[in-house]
Amino acid sequence: MSSERLASLLDEYAELEKRLADPAIHADQGTARRVGRRYAELVPLHKAAAELEQARADLTAARELAAEDPSFAAEAETIAAQLPALEERLAELLIPRDPHDAKDVIVEIKAGEGGEESALFAGDLLRMYTRYAERRGWLTEVIDAQDSDLGGVKDVSLAIKSKGVPEGGNGVWSRLKWEGGVHRVQRVPVTESQGRIHTSAAGVLVLPEAEEVDVTIDPNELRIDVFRSSGPGGQSVNTTDSAVRITHLPTGIVVSCQNEKSQLQNREQAMRILRARLLAAAQEQADAAASDARKAQVRTVDRSERIRTYNFPQNRITDHRIGYTAYNLDLALAGELDGVLDALSEADRAARLAGDPELARR
């Protein structure tokens, strides 16, 4: 256990506590939210350190009393038996955590090869994440979507936000960061008249939503084009140039939005997605310890390697990274994802304790 790291984090906790007690900080809601998130991340550490310190003090006192009165020996043994668990808990909390765990996310789902069946599956994934968010009490917002002819989605961007400051710093990213990659479905498509099982896939990319302070964007490095919307949007669709396409020239990242009725609204939504993508790109280039999860996710998408299979005939969901299998696909698609997400989180926790942050994603 690093005493220097513990002391540094406890000092940071005390400083954040002072800042939050100052009414002036709440004049800037963005700053207050960021400080509140970081404070919430450190609360479990502060609590664990205090419990361990108290237990050690109690043990010292009990042993001193036992030297004079043997009846205190049993109490000293009881306290001593509790110390290893408290020390392990604190050591676990001292392991560097994902710096984005408290953040909200933008989930991008793209239909892959498979035509309409792939688009229908992408729509299933969209509903799955939306329902899971509802179960967690999170807020969802479709930023942009391109629907398919049969009711699926070709491409959709979904923002998912927690309400208030997430407890323990465990925000939406801490749960959904595992979802990035290629999701494969095996089922009889509605377009199949022979009843044969087909395999198709959809790609999922999960981005921590960036705030303006997280990413600096030079307006001179943006090319902004406007064009006619071709999807939902009311009377303005196909009559005004309300859709917006933003190209970030240094990186070549292109973002388009057309769901909103006004050009200004579409521009704001496109900038949200652009900030998230730029933050993810910057994280990919950061030091390995801070970006293992993000880099693994990007590699998975780029290589088109499946991370999970949804088999409808067997009602089976399988996560190939950790060998997880459950026969409750119907419940998972209805938003009951905690089984597979808990398994992924536990695998990651075990890997980090073992000093191997890649283990959970092999």
Side-chain angles (χ1 to χ4, degrees):
M1 183 186 303
S2 171
S3 57
E4 294 83 3
R5 176 170 169 75
L6 176 59
S8 176
L9 291 174
L10 291 179
D11 286 344
E12 183 183 359
Y13 172 89
E15 178 61 29
L16 293 173
E17 192 171 43
K18 289 180 182 178
R19 291 187 66 186
L20 288 172
D22 183 355
I25 194 175
H26 299 287
D28 184 342
Q29 289 301 311
T31 299
R33 183 172 172 81
R34 285 192 300 276
V35 172
R37 280 176 172 173
R38 179 56 178 162
Y39 178 77
E41 289 179 11
L42 295 177
V43 165
L45 175 72
H46 177 266
K47 181 179 179 182
E51 289 178 351
L52 179 58
E53 182 179 4
Q54 184 62 54
R56 286 172 172 169
D58 290 345
L59 178 59
T60 299
R63 284 175 172 170
E64 290 176 352
L65 291 171
E68 301 176 2
D69 184 347
S71 64
F72 284 97
E75 182 179 349
E77 291 179 3
T78 299
I79 297 172
Q82 296 171 349
L83 287 182
L86 293 174
E87 290 170 346
E88 181 180 352
R89 171 62 175 159
L90 183 57
E92 181 179 333
L93 290 169
L94 282 171
I95 297 174
R97 64 183 297 168
D98 188 323
H100 298 315
D101 271 353
K103 286 186 176 294
D104 300 322
V105 305
I106 294 176
V107 179
E108 297 185 3
I109 306 171
K110 300 179 185 294
E113 296 180 1
E116 281 294 342
E117 167 60 13
S118 178
L120 288 170
F121 177 51
D124 291 338
L125 293 177
L126 172 62
R127 284 185 289 275
M128 180 179 75
Y129 292 129
T130 300
R131 289 167 178 169
Y132 180 68
E134 291 172 352
R135 290 176 179 272
R136 302 284 298 195
W138 296 334
L139 304 174
T140 60
E141 173 193 3
V142 174
I143 298 176
D144 195 54
Q146 297 180 36
D147 298 331
S148 69
D149 294 336
L150 296 182
V153 291
K154 298 177 182 177
D155 192 343
V156 62
S157 297
L158 177 71
I160 306 180
K161 295 179 173 291
S162 59
K163 294 180 181 178
V165 176
E167 183 177 353
N170 296 313
V172 183
W173 172 261
S174 71
R175 293 299 286 171
L176 294 186
K177 59 185 174 183
W178 321 111
E179 295 304 287
V182 175
H183 296 239
R184 183 178 68 170
V185 62
Q186 296 172 327
R187 66 183 174 188
V188 178
V190 295
T191 55
E192 171 59 55
S193 59
Q194 302 299 318
R196 295 174 296 185
I197 296 174
H198 282 219
T199 298
S200 61
V204 176
L205 187 62
V206 184
L207 305 168
E209 179 151 16
E211 300 175 57
E212 292 190 22
V213 296
D214 294 326
V215 178
T216 300
I217 300 177
D218 185 348
N220 295 321
E221 296 179 341
L222 300 178
R223 186 177 72 237
I224 301 177
D225 303 307
V226 296
F227 56 97
R228 295 284 172 89
S229 298
S230 59
Q235 296 179 350
S236 61
V237 172
N238 295 323
T239 62
T240 62
D241 292 334
S242 60
V244 173
R245 180 185 300 109
I246 299 178
T247 303
H248 185 248
L249 299 176
T251 61
I253 294 175
V254 179
V255 179
S256 299
C257 277
Q258 63 176 11
N259 270 30
E260 303 297 338
K261 295 181 180 181
S262 78
Q263 187 181 119
L264 178 61
Q265 289 173 316
N266 280 321
R267 176 170 174 160
E268 291 175 348
Q269 298 288 48
M271 287 297 292
R272 287 177 64 187
I273 298 175
L274 177 61
R275 278 194 294 269
R277 290 189 184 177
L278 287 174
L279 178 64
Q283 191 67 49
E284 185 182 355
Q285 298 171 5
D287 66 271
S291 63
D292 280 331
R294 175 63 201 156
K295 290 193 298 181
Q297 176 178 253
V298 172
R299 285 199 303 269
T300 299
V301 174
D302 289 346
R303 292 179 179 176
S304 295
E305 296 175 352
R306 71 185 188 278
I307 63 164
R308 190 175 297 153
T309 295
Y310 303 74
N311 185 294
F312 276 70
Q314 298 178 17
N315 196 36
R316 170 172 56 83
I317 179 171
T318 300
D319 196 287
H320 304 287
R321 294 164 294 184
I322 56 173
Y324 172 92
T325 295
Y327 293 87
N328 61 350
L329 175 57
D330 53 338
L331 297 178
L333 290 174
E336 295 187 20
L337 285 174
D338 279 330
V340 63
L341 295 181
D342 285 346
L344 285 161
S345 181
E346 176 57 27
D348 180 72
R349 186 191 74 84
R352 289 182 181 278
L353 283 172
D356 184 1
E358 284 289 344
L359 182 62
R361 285 168 286 278
R362 286 177 182 165

